Amino acid sequence: MSDSKIYPVSDELAATAHINNEKYLAMYEQSINDPDTFWGEEGKRLDWFKPYTKVKNTSFDPHNVDIRWFEDGTLNASYNCLDRHLATRGDQVAIIWEGDDPSESENITYRDLHERVCKFANALKSRGVEKGDVVTLYMPMIPEAAVAMLACTRIGAVHSIVFGGFSPEALAARIEGAESKVVVTSNYSLRAGKSVPLKLNVDKALEHEAAKACVDSVIVVKRVEQDVAWNDSVDVWYEDLVANASADCPAEEMEAEAPMFILYTSGSTGAPKGLKHTTGGYMVYAAMTHEYAFDYKDGDIYWCTADVGWVTGHSYIVYGPLANGATSLMFEGVPSYPDNSRFGRVIEKHKVNQFYTAPTAIRALMQQGEDVLGDSDLSSLRILGSVGEPINPEAWEWYYRIIGQNRCPIVDTWWQTETGGMMILPLPGATAAKPGAASRPFFGVQPALLDADGNELEGATDGNLVIKDSWPGQSRSIWGDHERFIQTYFTTYKGYYTTGDGARRDEDGYYWITGRVDDVINVSGHRMGTAEVESALVAHPAVAEAAVVGYPHEVKGQGIYVYVTLQAGFEQSDELLKELRMHVRSEIGPIASPDLIQFAPGMPKTRSGKIMRRILRKIAEDDFGALGDTSTLADPSVVDDLIEHRMNRK
Ligand code: WT7
């Protein structure tokens, strides 16, 4: 947008940041024209057991998608996050842990963390975990989560983290899908002073025969002094295991392309996919993007508010920061507890320099008014980040003014679980920011916009956002289903990686992400397949048919709007509404809880029986004028009924 406000790079940052505009342009050009030299140099930011001689070997050819980076090198992720720092920064704090209760916090040095990781790695081995085995982590935001991640990668086990807000059903599906041998959890987690029964959810997940058949150990951290059901043949306390474990555990030598972790995410169809990330390329990319995006310098205190259950927590709480020898703050709590000033209090308490959060959190604070952070001292802040969904310009301005005190650049980072790290972002010393624009590509990233026929569009335009060539952090496959990986990402537009997002490019070449172009919605920065929510709903005996779409929501970005047609014999009632909502929560988790449910006697369908979601989306968006052509509907009158009974009318 030519009329949008521009926030130029400050002279100070242009002079002192790792990357200024001149450097950005020169490095970007080299990263595209000579990726082998560029990434060959960047790869050296890690310690390799055996140095690589090959750098890039990648193909997006749909017949043979094959992505390898640094393929003949060997290394270990845990070693790069811990051991190599011991000589120079053993006594530096690696993780500042801030508990749910503001009186609880802990500083863990690199030396402490190394010891804790080695002990737990040996504990995993004592439970039979070997290189290549999958370990599921279902954990709260406590130091043991990071310890468990680094212990897995230390011994070459592949971790699969399942967000603690997912239901037993969702957990069971992910345990089965990854054939996970061990689950690490805690007895309870703490959220806003209340305990949440995590271990009980694991027990329920293991009532599923297929999940139970995989798992031989459940390792339980005692987070809360409270009783929990116990099964001696599988359950074991974390504390007992590490008490007897040796602190000597050399890091396993891993090939660059050895799997490092699996992370499940939702797509437009089918069950969630377990994306596979590998060691060398992922680590190089996570470390490099963390350093440049936040202009991270030695001694800085960095805080990312994500949960380790999402990719942001993997790349930007644990692996990127620790590979850089950073001090990374890990927060167990929520922004509204004990009151809405918590973010400010934590920034003040730990003198945070870089702060990375999601637009939904900003909007929630914004609703509380400008003095929401009270008299918190925010003067330590230098750089702000945003991630997870488009940040609307109002929220951007508020973030800049109230948290950034008109002083800190905002780095709006567009990326995905699949990309492993940030892809499009304004580097703080290089790129003038426009509120709402993710702006320019990171090194090695070649975005393009395509029309529906797959033609590349030039200049200022809208289109489907694709990436033309590989970057090191990219996911290599879907766990156990490479064909689905190819189908999902490389067949719609041949020769490109399809992101599933739409974007606009302005006359300055800045990218503005406009949102998903598929049946994926983004609720409070959580990605959800509408098909998943629909299949949860139709599993309820009262539901004949369900259609789920997103609608604009002031705080969540998108809310979940559900249309249900009831089975004959069931009556509409408030009770049934409640029951359906509870049903989705128990099938998927509270994050999938429908915001609005409309009983629909009929769905708008084509004559061949396909639900016309475009129409349902428009009705949910309160945009009746733009319904488009409804003449192809089998029964156009259903639309009138749907409009008449629309929920939440403005
Ligand atoms: C989807 C990916 C990125 C890690 C956390 C979410 C949306 C993410 C932005 C942004 C606009 C964004 C996209 C993307 N998204 N960041 N800065 N601006 N949209 O990872 O769960 O894999 O979701 O989130 O739609 O495709 P994810």
Side-chain angles (χ1 to χ4, degrees), residues 200-222:
L200 180 69
N201 286 351
V202 175
D203 293 347
K204 286 185 185 160
L206 296 185
E207 284 168 18
H208 291 249
E209 282 307 320
K212 189 176 171 186
C214 309
V215 172
D216 28 66
S217 295
V218 176
I219 302 176
V220 187
V221 178
K222 188 179 279 177

Side-chain angles (χ1 to χ4, degrees), residues 25-56:
L25 294 173
M27 285 172 71
Y28 184 76
E29 198 201 65
Q30 190 198 28
S31 74
I32 304 305
N33 296 333
D34 187 2
D36 282 319
T37 305
F38 182 86
W39 292 108
E41 272 310 303
E42 284 297 336
K44 294 181 187 158
R45 58 175 61 240
L46 299 184
D47 283 9
W48 298 79
F49 293 146
K50 182 172 146 240
Y52 47 86
T53 63
K54 290 189 203 164
V55 177
K56 181 176 188 287

Side-chain angles (χ1 to χ4, degrees), residues 154-182:
R154 187 163 197 87
I155 62 174
V158 178
H159 58 69
S160 168
I161 310 191
V162 179
F163 174 59
F166 277 121
S167 68
E169 307 299 315
L171 175 60
R174 287 158 177 76
I175 290 172
E176 286 163 38
E179 297 177 61
S180 177
K181 260 186 146 161
V182 170

Side-chain angles (χ1 to χ4, degrees), residues 265-266 275 310-312 316 356 359 386-391 411-419 421-422 424 436-438 499-502 512-516 520 522 525-528:
T265 191
S266 298
L275 289 159
W310 311 112
V311 72
T312 310
Y316 300 114
Y356 191 27
S386 173
V387 62
E389 53 179 314
I391 179 163
V411 185
D412 176 5
T413 62
W414 173 82
W415 57 295
Q416 309 178 297
T417 305
E418 291 86 344
T419 70
M422 300 162 181
I424 303 183
T499 67
D501 280 317
W512 301 68
I513 308 300
T514 49
R516 302 288 306 195
V520 169
N522 191 323
H526 301 322
R527 174 166 157 184
M528 214 163 307

Side-chain angles (χ1 to χ4, degrees), residues 231-301:
N231 171 359
D232 275 324
S233 62
V234 266
D235 299 340
V236 52
W237 287 108
Y238 178 98
E239 290 76 7
D240 291 346
L241 281 181
V242 295
N244 302 317
S246 148
D248 179 26
C249 180
E252 197 71 36
E253 180 169 350
M254 304 299 291
E255 288 181 8
E257 285 301 332
M260 178 170 156
F261 65 86
I262 308 172
L263 188 56
Y264 281 85
T265 191
S266 298
S268 49
T269 54
K273 325 175 259 275
L275 289 159
K276 173 174 115 177
H277 282 281
T278 59
T279 311
Y282 171 81
M283 287 296 292
V284 169
Y285 202 73
M288 179 181 176
T289 46
H290 170 261
E291 180 179 38
Y292 292 162
F294 299 110
D295 193 40
Y296 189 87
K297 303 252 170 76
D298 258 356
D300 283 346
I301 310 289

Side-chain angles (χ1 to χ4, degrees), residues 56-72:
K56 181 176 188 287
N57 180 9
T58 66
S59 164
F60 282 4
D61 173 357
H63 301 291
N64 174 38
V65 173
D66 192 2
I67 300 156
R68 299 161 197 254
W69 286 88
F70 312 107
E71 61 183 304
D72 61 347

Side-chain angles (χ1 to χ4, degrees), residues 125 138 156 188 194 218 238 291-292 314 342 371 377 395 475 507 514 555 640:
K125 284 186 182 172
Y138 184 64
Y188 294 86
K194 295 201 190 69
V218 176
Y238 178 98
E291 180 179 38
Y292 292 162
H314 286 64
R342 187 70 190 274
D371 53 0
D377 178 1
S475 168
E507 37 295 309
T514 49
V555 174
D640 298 332

Side-chain angles (χ1 to χ4, degrees), residues 67 69 92 108 204 269 272 465 479 550 583 605 648:
I67 300 156
W69 286 88
Q92 185 201 307
I108 304 170
K204 286 185 185 160
T269 54
L465 179 65
W479 193 254
H583 178 73
K605 289 186 184 168
N648 193 32

